[in-house]
Amino acid sequence: MFSNFHQGQRIPQGKYHLHNALWQLWLTVLYSQSEINSIWLSNAYFGADNGKPVYGLENAAQVRFSVPVSALNCSQTVELLAMLHAPSLYKAKPELFKQRVEKLEMRGCTDRRENQE
C-alpha cells in the first residue's frame, strides 16, 4: 500500500482512510498537539502576494502587517487565521473575508471591543 501511494497509483478509499489514520496515530506518538499545530502553521498556505505564494504564519504576518508573529494583536491574528479557510476565495471576494473575520472575532477576540469602550 505504501509503495503504491508513492508511485501515484490509486488506493481504494478504505485503504486511504486507514493510511491516514495510521499517519495520525504515528504523528501523535512522535509529537504533542502543540508541536503538530506549530509545524502545520509553519507550512500552511496563506494566499499570494503579488503573485508570489505566502507559506507559513511568520511569513504571512510579515507580508500582511510588516510585523513578526509575536507582535500581532488579536484582530491581526484572527485575520491571518481566517485566511487559512480559503485564501483564493477571500482574495476574490473580500466581503466574504470580512464576514469570516467578524464571525471569528465574535468568538474570542477582545481587542476591538476593548478599544471601542
Side-chain angles (χ1 to χ4, degrees):
M1 177 174 68
F2 186 75
S3 63
N4 289 348
F5 179 76
H6 285 289
Q7 292 172 3
Q9 296 176 4
R10 187 163 185 199
I11 299 173
Q13 189 173 9
K15 287 185 181 179
Y16 175 78
H17 291 295
L18 176 63
H19 178 80
N20 281 346
L22 291 174
W23 269 108
Q24 289 176 359
L25 179 63
W26 181 68
L27 286 174
T28 56
V29 167
L30 293 178
Y31 301 104
S32 69
Q33 187 62 47
S34 64
E35 289 173 315
I36 293 170
N37 291 342
S38 177
I39 292 167
W40 182 75
L41 282 172
S42 297
N43 296 290
Y45 178 67
F46 284 88
D49 179 49
N50 295 325
K52 185 178 174 186
V54 178
Y55 289 98
L57 186 59
E58 187 67 45
N59 290 336
Q62 287 292 337
V63 168
R64 188 154 175 100
F65 302 111
S66 300
V67 296
V69 170
S70 59
L72 292 174
N73 64 36
C74 188
S75 296
Q76 292 169 327
T77 303
V78 167
E79 281 190 38
L80 290 177
L81 294 177
M83 290 294 283
L84 289 171
H85 187 252
S88 300
L89 173 67
Y90 291 146
K91 185 164 179 93
K93 297 184 177 184
E95 67 280 357
L96 289 178
F97 178 66
K98 184 179 177 186
Q99 289 172 0
R100 174 82 172 159
V101 168
E102 288 172 358
K103 181 179 177 183
L104 291 175
E105 281 182 335
M106 289 175 61
R107 286 186 170 172
C109 189
T110 57
D111 285 357
R112 285 192 183 165
R113 282 184 242 143
E114 289 171 0
N115 291 338
Q116 290 173 353
E117 294 174 357

